[in-house]
Amino acid sequence: MTLLQCGAHKVDLTRAAIMGILNVTPDSFSDGGAHADPVSAVARARQMMEEGVSIIDVGGESTRPGAQAVSVQEELDRVIPVVERIAKEIPVPISVDTSKPEVMRASIIAGAGLINDVYALRAPGALEAVAAFDVPICLTHMQGEPRTMQIEPHYTDVVAEVADFLAIRVKAAQAAGIARCRFIIDPGFGFGKTLEHNIALLRSLKVLGMLGLPVMAGLSRKSMIGKTLGLPIEQRLHASVALALIAVQNGARIVRVHDVAPTVQAVRMWEAIEADRRV
Ligand code: 8Y7
């Protein structure tokens, strides 16, 4: 059994954990602005808890392709009041989606129990910031940077290259003093990847599992659905649930999603059937 100790909360990864996305940005990829103020953010967090969420991922900087960077102060102003209120009012572990060491530090002090860094602690000072605490850290693969990453991504062997990158980042983080039991790894669907790269990674997700660490997958509403089905963001619910389930079937232990209730139902149903398997 794998237990992730997320600050005051434990997350049991025997069952797949459903991470609910809570964007507190005015410009996010798929729900921009809806939960930018702390009161509506907390209301949404409470709703996700009622829907069976395992972890709530608060993000104050949009990482969508082409998004603008925000200042440290702006990100702190967006994220910290929300983390403080959720930590006080709602008994669910909080993750903070950030690459900035100042935001990592302040978030953990405010009550966050996990750091989700799509830069995999490559920002100056990020390794040290996380090493100073004892919360889990999700390391994600990204080729390039958000502003330009979708311009002609290229790999010789995407699965091997993503696995190598993650192994190197885990090593760097361990060298900085972060214990192995704290890592989560994520192939970073859509982060400098074409549809074909994303498909190859999802099919071979078990290869990443061979690193011996819990795997996270974020596929919710992403462009691979738009490219495959020709659907706009607001019509990607059903395919998002299907992709989350495929990720869990291929070994993902955490799925990061916008639509908590349908994903919880799909994943728990599959797990109930798996638990009953005779062969
Ligand atoms: C991911 C993520 C985003 C992901 C992890 C979006 C912050 C883009 N995607 N974090 N964040 N994995 N760990 O479409 O795939 O949600 S932002």
Side-chain angles (χ1 to χ4, degrees), residues 19 21 23 28-30 57-59 61-65 95-98 114-118 138-141 149 184-191 216-223 254 256-258:
M19 173 183 276
I21 299 168
N23 284 314
S28 108
F29 166 61
S30 63
D57 190 40
V58 177
E61 176 179 32
S62 177
T63 32
R64 69 177 174 182
S95 159
V96 171
D97 153 21
T98 188
L114 192 157
I115 297 295
N116 176 28
D117 180 9
V118 297
C138 181
L139 301 171
T140 295
H141 175 272
M149 66 192 176
I184 298 159
I185 52 172
D186 184 325
F189 290 102
F191 285 100
M216 167 135 90
L219 293 146
S220 188
R221 302 184 189 171
K222 282 191 178 172
S223 71
I254 306 176
R256 183 179 177 275
V257 305
H258 298 87

